[in-house]
């Protein structure tokens, strides 16, 4: 694999956008900030560039990628946007909601993006600079989280460098991400909405917008193949629902459970989501064992517990888990 002297360029610097666009248009990979986590971007229509994403991350080829677009019109060039999908885009884009939609024939999107599925996941990120990069490139970018496969997602340019430094030419530095965990993923199929991955946009938010229920994903045809049980794994072991700290442990607190680090003193779930990966990384640097306080399993807490469950799962050969 090629090695690079990775450049880290702030979004505030003149020329950051044009450098990113130039590299992407030449089939190179660029790490970009989004409101959720940093993404490892490639021109989604350039097969060899998309293949490099899988190589650099060590990502299994059966795990499809999200296509990031500048707006609904760009998405409509390669996926079928039915009225339900269009209402979701109008309500939540730009923002942390990914829609899995039927791919149009002759979409020009690399087959590696959808990993052989008949659907493509699309998302319009709420980060101005990254949306400008996509707009100027004029094509969608495929971008998974910018971390080695199975490891913690990156919420800063430094996190990206820790995992992928030397393997990509450019990291666009947009500071620390606001949302902190990956987007909510829903599949829209024949007007029905199925939850594939929980995030900070909750099923209640969607129900309030659409007035129709969000269904559990019990349909194997539309499962998210990347939902592996061991995922988001720090090096240290992780113990959940901890109320006290045991020997050799770093306790990450929440609300009434005080720890050496805390997700949110006030028990604020959005604040906890924003801090989650950052604190898991911090605790991982400090110790060999991590304990995490209980997080209420409601609202955004469902997404936090989903990531924690995967961080705590036994490691070893990746096995797809029905979700
Ligand atoms: O917030 C996010 O979504 C971040 C930022 C960078 O946008 N991206 C992200 O990508 O989390 P990644 O690759 O780490 O996770 C994408 C998930 C995987 O679990 C994958 O299996 C699922 O989306 N996915 C992608 N395309 C799919 C499809 N056509 N059908 C079902 N699941 C799909
Ligand atoms: Mg990921």
């Amino acid at each position: 694999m090629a090695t690079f002297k990775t450049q880290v360029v702030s979004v505030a610097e003149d020329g950051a956008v044009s450098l990113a666009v130039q590299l992407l248009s030449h089939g190179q990979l660029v790490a970009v900030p989004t409101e959720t986590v940093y993404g490892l971007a490639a021109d989604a229509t350039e097969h060899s560039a998309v293949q490099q994403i899988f190589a650099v991350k060590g990502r299994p080829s059966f795990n499809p990628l999200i296509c990031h677009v500048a707006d609904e019109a760009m998405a409509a060039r390669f996926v079928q946007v039915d009225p339900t999908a269009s209402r979701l885009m109008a309500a939540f884009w730009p923002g942390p909601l990914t829609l899995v939609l039927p791919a149009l024939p002759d979409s020009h999107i690399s087959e590696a993006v959808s990993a052989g599925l008949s659907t493509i996941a699309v998302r319009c990120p709420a980060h101005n600079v990254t949306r400008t990069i996509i707009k100027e490139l004029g094509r969608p970018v495929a971008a998974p989280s910018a971390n080695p496969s199975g490891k913690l997602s990156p919420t800063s340019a430094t996190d990206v460098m820790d995992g992928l430094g030397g393997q990509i030419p450019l990291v666009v530095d947009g500071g620390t991400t606001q949302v902190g965990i990956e987007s909510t993923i829903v599949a829209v199929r024949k007007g029905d909405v199925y939850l594939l991955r929980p995030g900070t946009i909750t099923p209640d938010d969607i129900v309030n917008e659409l007035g129709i229920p969000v269904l559990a994903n019990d349909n194997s045809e539309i499962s998210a193949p990347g939902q592996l049980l061991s995922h988001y794994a720090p090096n240290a072991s992780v113990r959940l629902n901890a109320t006290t700290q045991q020997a050799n442990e770093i306790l990450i607190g929440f609300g009434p459970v005080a720890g050496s680090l805390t997700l949110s003193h006030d028990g604020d779930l959005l604040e906890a989501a924003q801090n989650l990966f950052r604190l898991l990384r911090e605790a991982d640097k400090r110790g060999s064992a991590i304990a995490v306080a209980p997080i209420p399993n409601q609202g955004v807490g469902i997404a936090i517990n989903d990531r924690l469950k995967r961080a705590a799962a036994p490691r070893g050969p990746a096995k797809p888990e029905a979700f």
Side-chain angles (χ1 to χ4, degrees), residues 17-259:
V17 168
S18 56
L19 180 58
V21 172
Q22 193 193 350
L23 286 165
L24 289 167
S25 65
H26 285 90
Q28 304 271 0
L29 306 187
V30 177
V32 293
T34 82
E35 78 281 31
T36 58
V37 300
Y38 277 70
L40 179 61
D43 178 344
T45 66
E46 192 60 58
H47 187 61
S48 63
V50 175
Q51 281 179 316
Q52 275 184 65
I53 291 180
F54 288 88
V56 164
K57 279 187 58 105
R59 183 177 177 108
S61 59
F62 59 77
N63 190 358
L65 305 176
I66 298 172
C67 276
H68 295 66
V69 294
D71 49 32
E72 177 175 344
M74 186 182 272
R77 286 176 4 204
F78 62 94
V79 288
Q80 198 180 309
V81 181
D82 72 4
T84 303
S86 188
R87 280 173 70 190
L88 287 171
M89 291 172 180
F92 297 108
W93 279 12
L97 181 70
T98 296
L99 304 177
V100 171
L101 300 173
L104 294 177
D106 303 322
S107 69
H108 300 292
I109 301 293
S110 157
E111 281 171 19
V113 167
S114 54
L117 300 174
S118 59
T119 52
I120 299 177
V122 288
R123 148 162 151 77
C124 178
H127 194 294
N128 286 337
V129 171
T130 294
R131 272 206 320 286
T132 305
I133 290 170
I134 299 167
K135 219 175 279 168
E136 291 199 6
L137 181 69
R139 296 187 286 276
V141 299
S145 49
N147 52 282
S149 190
K151 298 294 185 188
L152 295 170
S153 294
T155 56
S156 70
T158 312
D159 295 347
V160 177
M161 288 300 286
D162 282 351
L164 301 179
Q167 297 185 71
I168 56 176
L170 177 65
V171 179
V172 178
D173 184 353
T176 303
T177 60
Q178 285 299 306
V179 173
I181 59 171
E182 304 83 351
S183 61
T184 304
I185 306 182
V186 296
V188 180
R189 198 160 175 265
K190 298 181 183 145
D192 287 331
V193 181
Y194 297 84
L195 181 68
L196 304 192
R197 179 174 73 184
T200 56
I201 293 177
T202 64
D204 280 350
D205 295 333
I206 295 172
V207 171
N208 288 340
E209 198 57 47
L210 295 183
I212 58 170
V214 174
L215 306 170
N217 175 32
D218 50 8
N219 185 330
S220 60
E221 268 181 73
I222 55 161
S223 66
Q227 297 291 351
L228 307 175
L229 184 54
S230 173
H231 207 129
Y232 314 116
N235 297 316
S237 65
V238 179
R239 184 168 69 89
L240 302 182
N241 296 315
T243 48
T244 54
Q245 183 166 322
Q246 296 176 357
N248 304 324
E249 277 183 348
I250 306 280
L251 176 62
I252 301 180
F254 176 82
V257 178

